Structures are given as structure tokens and as C-alpha cells.
Amino acid sequence: MTMIDPRAPLPEQVERQSKIIDALVRRASQQKDVGPSAYRAFQSAIDLQQQVAAQTLELESARYERERTRKALVEALASMEEGFALFTDGRLNICNELFQELLPDISTKVVPQLELKLYFELMATSRFLVSTNRKLLNVSDELEAAGASDPAMSIVAELLRDRWYQLSVQKTSPENTVLLLTEITTLVQHNRREKEHLIDQQEDYLQAVFQNMSAGVCTFSAEGQVMMHNGRFGAILGVPLSAFQPGTPVQSLMGYMTHRNLIEDSVLAQMEAWRQEMVNKGSLSRRVLHGADRVLDVYANVLPDGHFLVELKDVTLEARSTELLENRVMERTAELTHANEQLTAQYEEKARVEEELRISKERAEAAVSSKTRFLAAASHDLLQPINAAKLLISTLEETTRETRFLPMVERLGGAFASAEYLLHSLLDISRLESADPDMVSPSDVNLGTIMMGVKSDQMLLAEQKSVQLDVVPSSVFVRSDPVYLLRSVQNLVVNAIQYTNVGGRVLFGCRRKGDKIVLEVWDTGIGIRRKDQARIFDEFTRAENVPIGSGVGLGLSVVDRACRLLGHRLSVRSKPGLGSVFSIEMDIVHDAAPVAAQHIPVRELEADSVDHIVVVIENDADVLYGTTQWLQQWGASVLSASSTHQAVEFVKDMGMAPDIILADYQLDGADTGIRAISEIRAMTGAQVPAILVTADRSETVRRTGEQNNISVMTKPADLLRLRGLIEWKISSNKPPANPSGQIKQEV
């Protein structure tokens, strides 16, 4: 068991050890024989006493050093030029004399262990403190919320006799808070002097600006007395300085100006209303007359202290300019009104004329539409009798071949051919002028087929005129409409043959020109003068050197319209007496699929007898009669029908498929040749060859014929080509699907 508590204070341990040693000494003197335990106890006591003595010496040394350090700290704080205080755990630990004596009436209460919060409360109640820039009672709460790393809190305090201090409060650790007082009186006074100097400078500057303003400015007190004004204010009003001094009531000023007729009496009557408006709204703006010929703008504004500021501007020139401008505007408005009335009248007249033009246009369009419809109907109705007449004339030629009437019939055929050519040209021009999109159907066309067909068709005409006709073969494909391209090349070749003398030559072929192909028709004819080359493409126009009776001038017009519609470039080169070259430039189609030519050379297919069974379907009695007579004269057996029903009945009665079918496209009502051909093929079970002979030249009919394996020939038909086509169709037809040739009986 320990006899001394090591946690007890050191003096208490020393006193306790002395008592233990005394007790041991007395016990030892009373006993003669000291045992080992007593000796050990005595020895321990001696050691403990030595340790206590050493610790006592160290404690005294530490106490001395602490007092010496504290004294040095106090001396250092006393030598500081700033007030300093250290609060530990919220209580005053140490401070210097400057901090303690800053506020004399609370200096006796600034003692150690003073709470920080209480210090700020004492400071706030000091009669030596004039003001601070923040509430002192809130500083303690803000410090408790602040951390040791937060910036110092600054308080500026004004003391009596214009003394200024800055109190910096910094929490250096969770336990310690440092307050530092720094006198800033010199800095504040210097800044004040600088500020006053700047204010003086600004005042001088503002005064200079105020006096040199173009507008007149004057301030009045709330009672309406002059306080301050610039020279411009009096100059604008025309009031001398003697009558316009500070303290002058505004009523006196107004009376002075009224007495000298500077303002009207009506202005005085409105003064009270103006004052009330300025009080209610805070501002006032008016334009008034001043004197005989001056205009002033008056602006008044209420100031925060109840005074009011009045600004005057001389706007006489502006008012005069505005008045002049308004007068000019009125004059200009009157002129514009008059002009507008004239324009309105002109517009009404224009509207009337436009309405008349619209009505005329509608009538013209109706006339064109009527003409288009008429020609569409006439193209069928006119071509039907022509086709019938051609068939009858051809039959008549064969009948009178060995008689004296043959020359007369041949002349009749020639005259009729001229009428047919003229009618074709007129119909072509009408179709090309119409807006029907079905008139032109561009596709990939083989120029070789076109040129060989033209040569075959016009060879007889060339032989009759003793003109050599040659063609340079070509296999180029172009993008064009096959019907109108064929028609254009035919017209150019016919034109070349017609105007070439006996023994001359006509040659046509193609030349490449980059991605273009140029089809050229050369002749050694009479040529065309330069002045005529630009007008030969007009309707009913011929060159001056053309003999009378050699045409009406429609062929080249058809070519020109067709080329413009197809996007082809048509040109001519010619010299009188040497011949002409007509050219058509077209786009080449490089990847077109080759198509076998189906043009049949007419002269090679002529035969003495046509021993075939032919079904002819035609709703026009004359055409039906003429076709029947023409075929029978060749030796054909003809079944003549005017409708699909009649043709089917004839074939059914015959009991076998015919060799070929010739049918018109448009029959009576909704009946068509396509329907008739399809029903005969279906009934016989054979792909009977068929030819549509129609006046309808539309692309729709041509495509329908191609889709049904039906050849299409336009009316009036070229009889030689028709005969050749019949022979070619029959010879190239495959064996029928029903070898027996018998018609299948219906159940």
C-alpha cells in the first residue's frame, strides 16, 4: 500500500513525507534493535525525500521562468502602439494598457476573466463611443459561428473628439480569440479631406456645367421661392437679375412677365392646375408661348426634399420647323390624296380593262379548246372518208389499169395525195399547238429504223422525179418521240426531193458531235437565200425562188414545232443554186437496249395475189366497203364487220381462226378494235396477227397496241405499206396454239 498519494499536490506530498520520516526516527530511537523492515522503510523515506526535494527545485525553476516570460510579454504589450487583448475560453487572459484605457469610463471593468460578450456590451454602453459600423451585441454570436481559419472581423469605431479606431477580432484557435485595436484617425481625416476636395472640385465642375447649360434651370423651394438658377434661365425668360434674386416668390416672377406681356393671362389661370398635376405625378411638361414670337418647353420635377426643379428650353426654331413641316405634310397629303384619287380611277379603269381582257382570254381559250376538240373529232371524221377514198382510188387504179381511164385515175390519186398531205400537216400543227401531254411521248428511238423506213417510203417519189435517194445507215439510239421524229425526217426528205431538179441527189445520215448526234438531210436542189432562211419555218411561207404550185409551206413548220416540243435543235445551211442542208441535233442514248427493226420494205413484199382470210372491223361503212374491195381485188377472202359482236359471230360461223385481223380502234360506243381482237383470240385459242388502222395518233393507243402484240398504222394508211405489213405479220406468225384450227365449243 502506498502511503503517499502521487496525485496530491507537491507541498502536501513533502509535508506527508516529513511526518513519515519523523515517525520512523522516533520509532528507531525507541528500539534498540532495528529490524530489516524498519531499515528498508527508513531508506525508502530518505530516497523519497530526495526526489521530493529535486521536484521542488524544478517546480520553483519553472515558476520563475513562467513569471519571467509573463513579465516580458507584459512589457512587450506595453510597448505596442496598438491595443491588444487575448481572450481564452471566452474570458480575458491578458491585455495591454492601451486596450484597457481606450474607453476610460469602462477601464476599471476591463480585468482578467472578463467575458468577451460582456466586454462588447460594456463597449456599446460607453459614453466615449460615438458610433460603429456594425452592431457590437452581435459580434459574440458571429465569433461563435466562425472558425479558426475564417478572416478577421473588422469594426470601425468613432470616439469623442473625432478619434477613430479599427477593432480587428480574430479567432486564432477554438480556445483563443485576439482583439487588436488600431488607431486610424489620421487615415480617416486624410480621406475626409480628399473627399471634401473632390466634392469641391465636383461642385465647381457642376457649377460650371450648370451655368453653361443651353437650357435654363432654376430650383424653387416648396413654398415657391427662387433658390438657385443659372444665367440662361433669366435670359430665356427675359427677366433682369434685379428682379430675379434668391428668395423671389414665383408669383412675383410671373407677375413681372405678365406685366411685360411675356406670357398670356391664360397661363396664370392654369398655374394652380399645373402645380397640382406636378404634385400628383411628380413631374410636369408643357409647351407655352413666350412673348410675341417665341415658344418655350417647360419641364418641372419634384425633388426628394419637397423642392422642385424647373427647366426651360427655347424651341422656337424647332416649333417653326415643325409647323413648316406640318404645312408641307398637309400640302403633300393633299397632293397624294389627289394622286391617289387619280390612281384609284386609273386602277378602276385598269381593272375594267383587265376584266375585259380576262373575258376575252376566256373566250379565246374557249375558242382554242373548242378548236382542239373540233380538230380531235375532225381528225377521225376527216381521215375516215380520206382513208375510204384512198382505198377506192387504189381499187379503181387496179380496175382501170388496162383502160383509157387509168391516166385520169392516176391524176385523181395525185390530187387526192396533195389534199391528204395538206390535211396531215394542218392536223399535225394543231396537235403540236395543243397542251395535251399525250401528244408527245419521248422514248429511246433507233435512228437506223427511222431512216430506213423513210427511204423505203419515199423511194417511189424519188424515182418519179428521177432523183437519187441515198441513206448512210446508223445504229444510234436517241431520246425522242418516234411518231413525230419519223414525221419530221419524212418532211425534210420529201422537201429535199421536191425542190431538187431531175438528175439531182438527196442524201441523209448522221454525224456525232460529242454527246449529241446530228441527223442531216443534204440535197443538190435550188437552195434558199439567206433572207428567207429565217422565215421558211413559218406556216404558209415559202422562199421567193420556189416555183408556184410546189406546196403551201406547211412541211417545215411541222418540223420546227415538233423539234421545239421535243427539245431538238433544228438548223439550215443553204446557198442558192447549190443546195441545202437541214440538221436536227438530238441527245444520244448510250445504254439503250437494241430492238429489232420491224419496218418492212414495201417493194420486196408485193405479190400478185393475197390468198388469206382477213377479218375487217370498221364502223364507217365507206371505209369498210373500200377496204373490203381493196383486199378482195388482191384475192383475199374478207369477213366485213362493223362491231366486235358481228366479227365474233362471223368467226364462230366460219369455225376457224382467220389469218389476220384489220380493225379500227374506235368503234361505236365503248366498243374498240382492241376488244374485238382480244375476244377473237380468246375464242379461237390462237394468237391471230392483228393490225389497228386508226386516226388516233396518241401514245396511249400505240402503247396499248404494243402491250397486246398489235401493230398500229395511222389513217389514212399507206396502202403499199399496209399490204407489206399484212404479208409480214402473217409470214412471221408462229403456229397457232390450236393446231387443228377448230374453235373451242362453249359449254
Side-chain angles (χ1 to χ4, degrees):
M1 180 177 179
T2 303
M3 299 176 68
I4 301 174
D5 187 1
R7 294 173 297 177
L10 191 57
E12 185 177 344
Q13 291 183 24
V14 174
E15 183 179 358
R16 182 68 173 166
Q17 288 290 343
S18 297
K19 290 181 179 180
I20 292 173
I21 292 172
D22 291 341
L24 290 175
V25 172
R26 285 194 301 269
R27 184 176 180 183
S29 64
Q30 292 174 3
Q31 295 180 359
K32 295 181 179 181
D33 186 16
V34 180
S37 58
Y39 179 75
R40 284 194 297 273
F42 178 73
Q43 186 64 39
S44 297
I46 295 299
D47 294 338
L48 182 59
Q49 186 177 14
Q50 292 178 353
Q51 294 178 4
V52 170
Q55 290 181 3
T56 302
L57 183 60
E58 292 177 0
L59 182 60
E60 291 296 332
S61 177
R63 184 178 294 117
Y64 173 75
E65 289 295 330
R66 183 180 65 183
E67 290 298 331
R68 191 162 65 96
T69 302
R70 183 178 181 83
K71 183 178 180 181
L73 177 60
V74 171
E75 291 176 354
L77 292 177
S79 63
M80 289 179 64
E81 295 181 356
E82 297 174 329
F84 175 85
L86 174 64
F87 286 80
T88 304
D89 293 330
R91 294 180 178 275
L92 180 61
N93 187 349
I94 188 173
C95 68
N96 61 4
E97 184 179 358
L98 179 58
F99 184 85
Q100 186 177 18
E101 299 295 336
L102 178 66
L103 301 172
D105 56 344
I106 64 170
S107 61
T108 57
K109 299 178 181 179
V110 181
V111 295
Q113 301 303 312
L114 175 66
E115 293 183 1
L116 180 61
K117 184 175 183 180
L118 181 57
Y119 171 75
F120 285 115
E121 292 177 355
L122 292 174
M123 186 177 179
T125 60
S126 174
R127 61 184 179 83
F128 289 90
L129 181 66
V130 177
S131 64
T132 58
N133 65 337
R134 66 193 309 159
K135 294 183 178 181
L136 296 174
L137 299 180
N138 297 334
V139 175
S140 298
D141 296 335
E142 295 176 7
L143 281 174
E144 290 179 2
S149 61
D150 289 347
M153 189 180 305
S154 179
I155 302 172
V156 177
E158 179 186 2
L159 305 185
L160 293 176
R161 296 190 296 277
D162 197 23
R163 296 170 60 204
W164 295 82
Y165 282 87
Q166 180 178 354
L167 176 61
S168 299
V169 184
Q170 174 68 54
K171 196 170 184 180
T172 58
S173 68
E175 298 84 11
N176 296 326
T177 302
V178 174
L179 274 66
L180 187 64
L181 273 170
T182 304
E183 185 173 5
I184 57 173
T185 302
T186 304
L187 179 61
V188 171
Q189 292 176 350
H190 175 73
N191 289 340
R192 184 186 297 162
R193 287 193 298 272
E194 289 289 333
K195 182 178 179 181
E196 291 175 352
H197 178 67
L198 289 175
I199 291 175
D200 292 341
Q201 286 184 335
Q202 291 295 327
E203 182 179 359
D204 294 340
Y205 174 76
L206 292 175
Q207 183 65 28
V209 172
F210 182 71
Q211 291 297 335
N212 290 279
M213 289 177 65
S214 59
V217 179
C218 180
T219 56
F220 293 85
S221 65
E223 293 76 19
Q225 295 177 343
V226 175
M227 296 179 61
M228 181 178 65
H229 64 87
N230 61 0
R232 182 63 178 159
F233 192 86
I236 292 176
L237 289 179
V239 178
L241 292 179
S242 59
F244 194 45
Q245 294 296 324
T248 302
V250 68
Q251 290 82 0
S252 301
L253 184 62
M254 299 299 293
Y256 179 88
M257 290 189 292
T258 304
H259 180 69
R260 285 165 175 74
N261 295 323
L262 297 178
I263 58 174
E264 299 178 353
D265 294 338
S266 59
V267 175
L268 291 177
Q270 298 176 10
M271 285 295 295
E272 182 59 27
W274 290 0
R275 188 190 67 79
Q276 191 62 37
E277 179 181 348
M278 183 180 63
V279 171
N280 295 335
K281 296 183 178 180
S283 63
L284 176 69
S285 175
R286 289 291 185 276
R287 174 165 289 188
V288 297
L289 294 176
H290 185 72
D293 56 355
R294 297 179 66 195
V295 181
L296 303 181
D297 275 350
V298 181
Y299 303 96
N301 292 276
V302 179
L303 300 177
D305 56 0
H307 300 173
F308 58 94
L309 176 71
V310 177
E311 179 182 0
L312 297 179
K313 288 185 177 179
D314 190 344
V315 294
T316 303
L317 294 177
E318 179 183 346
R320 290 177 180 174
S321 300
T322 302
E323 183 180 0
L324 178 61
L325 181 60
E326 288 177 352
N327 292 335
R328 292 184 61 183
V329 168
M330 292 177 63
E331 293 174 359
R332 186 59 177 166
T333 301
E335 294 176 359
L336 291 175
T337 302
H338 179 65
N340 185 50
E341 292 175 354
Q342 291 182 336
L343 289 175
T344 302
Q346 293 176 3
Y347 175 79
E348 292 175 352
E349 178 64 19
K350 179 182 177 183
R352 185 185 63 79
V353 173
E354 288 180 349
E355 180 64 18
E356 293 178 356
L357 290 175
R358 184 187 64 80
I359 295 174
S360 300
K361 180 183 177 184
E362 290 178 352
R363 290 174 179 173
E365 291 176 348
V368 171
S369 178
S370 176
K371 182 197 74 172
T372 303
R373 290 194 302 271
F374 168 75
L375 289 174
S379 63
H380 181 272
D381 296 339
L382 290 174
L383 293 177
Q384 285 288 73
I386 288 178
N387 193 48
K390 284 187 66 174
L391 291 168
L392 294 173
I393 290 173
S394 177
T395 304
L396 189 61
E397 283 182 355
E398 293 296 327
T399 303
T400 61
R401 188 170 296 279
E402 302 298 332
T403 68
R404 61 186 180 88
F405 298 106
L406 179 61
M408 186 183 302
V409 174
E410 288 180 344
R411 288 181 178 274
L412 176 62
F416 195 81
S418 298
E420 178 190 354
Y421 178 77
L422 176 61
L423 179 61
H424 274 299
S425 298
L426 290 172
L427 291 177
D428 284 338
I429 290 175
S430 175
R431 293 189 190 98
L432 293 172
E433 282 183 344
S434 70
D436 187 359
D438 201 36
M439 282 295 102
V440 176
S441 300
S443 60
D444 298 341
V445 181
N446 190 333
L447 273 182
T449 302
I450 297 290
M451 292 190 296
M452 295 307 296
V454 171
K455 178 185 178 183
S456 177
D457 294 342
Q458 305 306 323
M459 184 60 73
L460 182 60
L461 176 63
E463 290 177 355
Q464 291 175 350
K465 286 207 63 176
S466 300
V467 173
Q468 180 181 347
L469 177 61
D470 296 314
V471 60
V472 179
S474 175
S475 59
V476 175
F477 280 80
V478 296
R479 190 70 179 172
S480 184
D481 181 276
V483 175
Y484 282 103
L485 180 59
L486 174 64
R487 189 80 174 158
S488 298
V489 178
Q490 281 180 338
N491 284 352
L492 291 179
V493 172
V494 170
N495 192 72
I497 294 173
Q498 185 177 0
Y499 296 112
T500 299
N501 297 324
V502 175
R505 184 186 180 190
V506 174
L507 172 67
F508 62 105
C510 298
R511 297 177 184 272
R512 287 185 177 269
K513 186 179 178 182
D515 290 336
K516 306 283 186 179
I517 192 76
V518 181
L519 189 151
E520 297 180 341
V521 180
W522 294 68
D523 66 66
T524 59
I526 60 176
I528 307 169
R529 297 177 182 177
R530 181 175 295 277
K531 66 177 182 178
D532 294 331
Q533 292 179 12
R535 65 186 188 92
I536 57 174
F537 297 105
D538 297 336
E539 297 91 341
F540 305 105
T541 302
R542 298 180 301 172
E544 293 180 357
N545 59 340
V546 173
I548 299 176
S550 57
V552 295
L554 287 176
L556 291 180
S557 178
V558 172
V559 177
D560 179 61
R561 292 173 184 269
C563 288
R564 280 192 279 114
L565 198 60
L566 293 168
H568 303 334
R569 183 173 175 269
L570 176 64
S571 60
V572 59
R573 306 192 307 275
S574 182
K575 287 187 178 180
L578 296 180
S580 305
V581 181
F582 286 86
S583 305
I584 300 177
E585 185 178 297
M586 298 165 282
D587 294 326
I588 299 176
V589 179
H590 298 283
D591 300 326
V595 179
Q598 296 184 359
H599 183 78
I600 310 303
V602 175
R603 298 176 66 83
E604 296 178 7
L605 294 176
E606 287 190 19
D608 295 334
S609 178
V610 181
D611 188 14
H612 304 305
I613 299 174
V614 183
V615 175
V616 179
I617 309 170
E618 173 65 63
N619 63 334
D620 186 285
D622 293 336
V623 177
L624 181 61
Y625 174 78
T627 306
T628 302
Q629 293 298 317
W630 178 67
L631 290 171
Q632 287 179 347
Q633 188 174 3
W634 285 1
S637 299
V638 183
L639 298 177
S640 301
S642 61
S643 65
T644 298
H645 175 73
Q646 190 176 10
V648 170
E649 290 298 324
F650 286 163
V651 174
K652 185 184 296 185
D653 293 341
M654 184 176 60
M656 61 181 296
D659 294 319
I660 194 167
I661 302 171
L662 300 183
D664 190 7
Y665 173 71
Q666 186 63 52
L667 302 176
D668 292 336
D671 197 7
T672 65
I674 299 290
R675 175 185 171 189
I677 295 168
S678 299
E679 291 191 10
I680 293 174
R681 286 175 174 176
M683 182 181 64
T684 61
Q687 189 69 14
V688 181
I691 302 173
L692 275 181
V693 184
T694 176
D696 191 336
R697 300 189 176 194
S698 66
E699 181 68 14
T700 302
V701 174
R702 187 181 66 83
R703 289 182 179 176
T704 304
E706 290 180 356
Q707 294 170 0
N708 292 276
N709 192 24
I710 301 172
S711 298
V712 179
M713 181 172 283
T714 58
K715 290 181 180 180
D718 187 323
L719 299 181
L720 291 180
R721 291 191 63 198
L722 178 59
R723 181 175 176 180
L725 183 59
I726 291 172
E727 291 290 342
W728 180 79
K729 292 283 287 186
I730 294 175
S731 63
S732 62
N733 186 38
K734 295 181 180 180
N738 182 9
S740 64
Q742 300 297 320
I743 299 176
K744 298 179 181 179
Q745 297 297 323
E746 296 181 356
V747 179

